[in-house]
Amino acid sequence: MFESSETVTTDRRQLRRESTRSEILDEAWALCRDVGLAGLSMRELAKRVGLRAPSLYSYFDSKDAIYDAMFRQGYEQLRDHMGDYMGPQPVTRERLKEGVRHYVEFCVADTTRYQLLFQRTIPGFEPSAESYAVAVLALEDSSRALSAAGIEGDAALDMWTGLLSGLTAQQISNDPGGERWIRLLDDAIDMFLDHYGALPRKKGSRK
Amino acid sequence: MFESSETVTTDRRQLRRESTRSEILDEAWALCRDVGLAGLSMRELAKRVGLRAPSLYSYFDSKDAIYDAMFRQGYEQLRDHMGDYMGPQPVTRERLKEGVRHYVEFCVADTTRYQLLFQRTIPGFEPSAESYAVAVLALEDSSRALSAAGIEGDAALDMWTGLLSGLTAQQISNDPGGERWIRLLDDAIDMFLDHYGALPRKKGSRK
DNA sequence: TGACAAAACCGAACAGTGTTCGGATAATCG
DNA sequence: CGATTATCCGAACACTGTTCGGTTTTGTCA
């Protein structure tokens, strides 16, 4: 069976459409890294992809829709980045630390992306339901890893997210490019696990 | 000696100036609470104080200067709020917890103010050197209280700020008006103090 | 190939923003 | 009162996101 000519047409057009769509997104990331997340301008973005501002509106409904697509893309990148660290390996203290280090590495690697994914810094922007679902999916992985470590209960999980997001945020906003808070991560995880009595240390491994 | 008439005049004028200046600031706070911190509009703000936008520029150099004055005001409020809790009283676990609760209370009492003081949510805004000095002054108090508890060293202090700012931020952005992370505060402080071996608990007071 | 339909693109405009400038108004002084 | 000075505002500039109508390009069909 041959595809109907109409379908072929649609495919070609659609291919081209999605091509420039992703080109717009790539350029949006680059522009945001240049001028800051909030400095994204439709006219400037259009200029960089060889268009005028109104043309962007046939690819995205609004500027917030661009942020939304970037948001979704960012969380997909996070999922990819963490992929290997979320397997069914035996959860040990060291593996947990590795996972957290890997996660924070992702966060500090691109502060613009971090702002978009984890902070509410764009005035009117809120992710759409679909994009938010991707975010929840990516974050559920980490909570699953935690419960695999024998840590259960909302309180412990809230403490975990509060502690780690706090250290990460301090790192990014108060010592970007450095590792003043990053080097506290291992210690923080020990503190946390000791407190909740999970994954006991081997004898004599205190301090 | 009588003051020269010129001085009297200047006083009168200056009094009136500072009066409307603080009226502008009050209305700016109110407006921000209505439309969000980033939604502050010079024309709307002017309308609320019975002026037109250009007139505001004889009281503040720019919109950011208004944010700056608010920033400073906010940290002065923090200082006032914490005043009593920073005295030379003996530092106990319970007093430390009280102080932290009091601090977080201040944060969640006005999320607009919290955004301005602790998060970098306004695109171009950075506090001036003078206002930043007020902020440092207010935050130094807490670090002094911590060292009074026998906790020394940059690492411990960074861990402290990371932990508490993390819990506070989660509270405000993920459960505004609730106390999901607030009720973890006492436990978090116990966790922290135990880990650093400060202010030991009384015997048998574990859990 | 040429005609036709649809998609892509853009110029102009609208309403909004922060900000500046020159002149009008009001308050204070000698 | 007249003169001075502080206060205030209308108009404008450059920018923003966004919409509309019409032009240009593209792809498909007879």
Side-chain angles (χ1 to χ4, degrees), chain B:
Chain B
M1 317 279 174
F2 297 98
E3 299 180 355
S4 80
S5 59
E6 191 185 359
T7 306
V8 169
T9 298
T10 308
D11 277 0
R12 288 264 284 263
R13 287 220 203 272
Q14 203 156 327
L15 225 63
R16 190 174 130 69
R17 261 192 84 79
E18 298 204 6
S19 165
T20 74
R21 222 185 106 100
S22 82
E23 190 189 346
I24 291 174
L25 277 184
D26 290 351
E27 215 60 54
W29 280 112
L31 181 53
C32 281
R33 282 188 206 99
D34 283 359
V35 300
L37 197 57
L40 180 61
S41 150
M42 296 298 270
R43 285 176 176 82
E44 178 63 27
L45 174 57
K47 191 185 294 178
R48 290 212 188 186
V49 294
L51 291 176
R52 300 294 142 61
S55 304
L56 296 178
Y57 286 80
S58 61
Y59 295 95
F60 296 93
D61 284 346
S62 68
K63 186 182 172 182
D64 276 3
I66 296 182
Y67 282 131
D68 195 62
M70 293 168 73
F71 180 89
R72 186 189 191 126
Q73 226 173 49
Y75 271 102
E76 278 159 3
Q77 288 168 8
L78 173 58
R79 234 177 123 71
D80 290 350
H81 184 82
M82 296 303 291
D84 301 343
Y85 286 81
M86 290 302 166
Q89 302 97 344
V91 176
T92 65
R93 252 174 141 92
E94 190 47 43
R95 281 208 67 77
L96 211 56
K97 289 177 184 175
E98 270 178 35
V100 168
R101 278 197 297 265
H102 204 64
Y103 171 80
V104 176
E105 199 177 284
F106 175 87
C107 291
V108 301
D110 187 338
T111 63
T112 297
R113 181 178 59 191
Y114 176 81
Q115 270 188 329
L116 179 59
L117 300 197
F118 302 109
Q119 301 187 317
R120 293 253 169 283
T121 172
I122 301 296
F125 169 67
E126 289 218 29
S128 65
E130 303 91 51
S131 298
Y132 192 73
V134 176
V136 170
L137 222 67
L139 295 179
E140 265 177 2
D141 287 350
S142 73
S143 85
R144 204 167 328 116
L146 207 61
S147 79
I151 295 175
E152 308 277 0
D154 288 347
L157 215 132
D158 288 345
M159 182 77 83
W160 174 264
T161 60
L163 174 59
L164 294 182
S165 75
L167 294 173
T168 309
Q170 291 284 326
Q171 176 62 54
I172 286 176
S173 51
N174 296 331
D175 182 35
E179 54 175 17
R180 187 167 149 193
W181 275 270
I182 288 181
R183 55 169 166 253
L184 299 179
L185 283 175
D186 284 8
D187 202 25
I189 294 168
D190 280 333
M191 174 175 79
F192 177 85
L193 293 177
D194 288 347
H195 185 71
Y196 285 97
L199 301 178
R201 305 178 193 230
K202 297 180 184 69
K203 281 181 182 175
S205 71
R206 177 85 206 227
K207 258 289 155 58

Side-chain angles (χ1 to χ4, degrees), chain A residues 124-145:
Chain A
F125 169 67
E126 290 219 28
S128 66
E130 304 91 51
S131 298
Y132 192 73
V134 177
V136 170
L137 222 67
L139 295 180
E140 263 177 4
D141 286 350
S142 74
S143 86
R144 204 169 326 116

